[in-house]
Amino acid sequence: MTERSQAKPATGSRAAQRLRAIADRVRARTNPTPRSFKTINLALQGGGAHGAFTWGVLDALLEDERLDFEAISGTSAGAMNAVVLADGLMRNGTEGARDRLAVFWRRVSQEGSSTGAAAQIVKSMLGFWHMQGFSPFGVVEQFANFLSSPYRTNPLNINPLRDLIDHLIDFDNVRANDGLKLFISATNVRTGKIKIFSGAEVTSDAVMASACLPYLFRAVEIGEEAYWDGGYTGNPALFPFFEETETADILVVQVNPCAGKSCRNRRKRSRSTPARSPSTRRCCANSGPSISSIG
């Protein structure tokens, strides 16, 4: 009798431990431990249809919810992703951003899969964009593009993506997002230098200037200057992060990686370059690599 009376409390104790363990698991699921957040800057390359890859990266980052963005620098398709994301965040937080990005790229796909002159322009604009290296064929191709000037082949300056951006994006929302800085890159036609649009300058004209391929569209005129695609001078520009943000970490979503002999030459040149400037050292002050690359 004594042994049985001592065994019952032991059984009851084990059952209580199991119940407590189950209760702890339930509480952990319903009240998860708050995740730690990290603030970074995003750099989004342009690259035509490769911008859809950037959409997938942004969707994963937004779904994860552990990163906060202080600033985004974007060029061409990267600039489009940047303004769509900023507009969505103002509408409904991360879910709004994910929704607007999905809507935008599905509409782009629909525009490109239709027929007609407008669809052909979208296909040409969102082809797998690349910068020509110096080669005899590249020179011939550029000369051919010059002969087929958009002032002749597209006299009405038709650009379906402008209509799509004007329809989907509320630029008042984008400019009102004080928690997120945007830097949109374009190339000044007259000087050949980079132009960064930010703050009140972020408009549909700025985005279209950043994505203005000179063999497809007329230069976008803003004020007294004309602009072409920002990929010719900064794809994307990183220097605004060093000068106008506090965050030290940069995540580059790279959709135009170098390859082959040109890439090896770049690596050789990078090994022989002098030490980093103070601004770059400041950017790389965190432990581990501070400039990451996806792609």
Side-chain angles (χ1 to χ4, degrees):
M1 291 295 292
T2 303
E3 291 180 359
R4 289 179 183 176
S5 63
Q6 290 175 348
K8 287 181 180 179
T11 303
S13 177
R14 285 195 295 271
Q17 289 174 358
R18 292 195 189 99
L19 289 174
R20 282 196 294 270
I22 293 172
D24 289 340
R25 286 197 294 271
V26 171
R27 280 195 296 270
R29 291 176 182 174
T30 55
N31 299 300
T33 303
R35 293 183 175 187
S36 58
F37 285 86
K38 182 175 182 62
T39 301
I40 64 170
N41 291 319
L42 270 178
L44 309 180
Q45 278 195 330
H50 287 115
F53 169 83
T54 301
W55 161 38
V57 174
L58 294 176
D59 187 74
L61 295 177
L62 291 166
E63 182 182 26
D64 186 77
E65 294 187 331
R66 284 183 293 176
L67 293 176
D68 191 21
F69 311 128
E70 182 181 358
I72 304 177
S73 178
T75 298
S76 195
M80 296 181 187
N81 275 319
V83 295
V84 172
L85 185 150
D87 181 37
L89 287 175
M90 289 295 288
R91 291 173 185 265
N92 188 29
T94 56
E95 288 304 315
R98 295 180 68 194
D99 176 68
R100 299 310 288 177
L101 285 165
V103 169
F104 174 75
W105 282 103
R106 284 172 184 149
R107 288 288 300 276
V108 168
S109 175
Q110 291 168 5
E111 292 283 349
S113 61
S114 61
T115 58
Q120 188 59 44
I121 290 173
V122 172
K123 291 175 184 177
S124 299
M125 185 178 183
L126 291 177
F128 294 112
W129 187 95
H130 65 284
M131 294 293 295
Q132 291 291 341
F134 182 79
S135 66
F137 178 76
V139 172
V140 172
E141 184 175 4
Q142 290 176 8
F143 181 70
N145 288 334
F146 172 76
L147 293 179
S148 59
S149 164
Y151 292 85
R152 295 180 180 179
T153 59
N154 187 10
L156 299 179
N157 204 28
I158 297 172
N159 190 340
L161 285 182
R162 175 183 280 278
D163 297 334
L164 179 60
I165 284 175
D166 287 340
H167 176 69
L168 286 181
I169 300 173
D170 183 346
F171 279 90
D172 289 332
N173 253 354
V174 174
R175 290 186 292 269
N177 192 341
D178 295 330
L180 180 64
K181 298 177 182 177
L182 295 183
F183 305 111
I184 306 301
S185 304
T187 302
N188 186 303
V189 175
R190 181 177 58 85
T191 65
K193 295 181 179 180
I194 191 169
K195 164 66 177 177
I196 303 296
F197 295 95
S198 62
E201 297 177 318
V202 178
T203 62
S204 61
D205 281 340
V207 174
M208 298 318 300
S210 182
C212 180
L213 294 173
Y215 53 85
L216 287 179
F217 305 109
R218 299 180 183 182
V220 176
E221 296 183 4
I222 301 176
E224 298 181 355
E225 299 288 352
Y227 298 96
W228 280 332
D229 196 291
Y232 294 108
T233 49
N235 191 22
L238 300 183
F239 66 87
F241 296 146
F242 308 150
E243 300 171 355
E244 301 190 39
T245 69
E246 297 180 1
T247 302
D249 293 308
I250 302 172
L251 176 63
V252 180
V253 184
Q254 185 177 354
V255 297
N256 277 310
C258 60
K261 185 177 179 180
S262 63
C263 191
R264 290 193 297 272
N265 290 338
R266 289 184 191 180
R267 291 197 188 102
K268 291 178 182 177
R269 287 197 299 269
S270 66
R271 294 191 190 103
S272 61
T273 54
R276 296 188 182 101
S277 64
S279 61
T280 308
R281 286 198 298 270
R282 185 177 72 249
C283 176
C284 302
N286 271 7
S287 59
S290 64
I291 300 182
S292 305
S293 175
I294 292 181

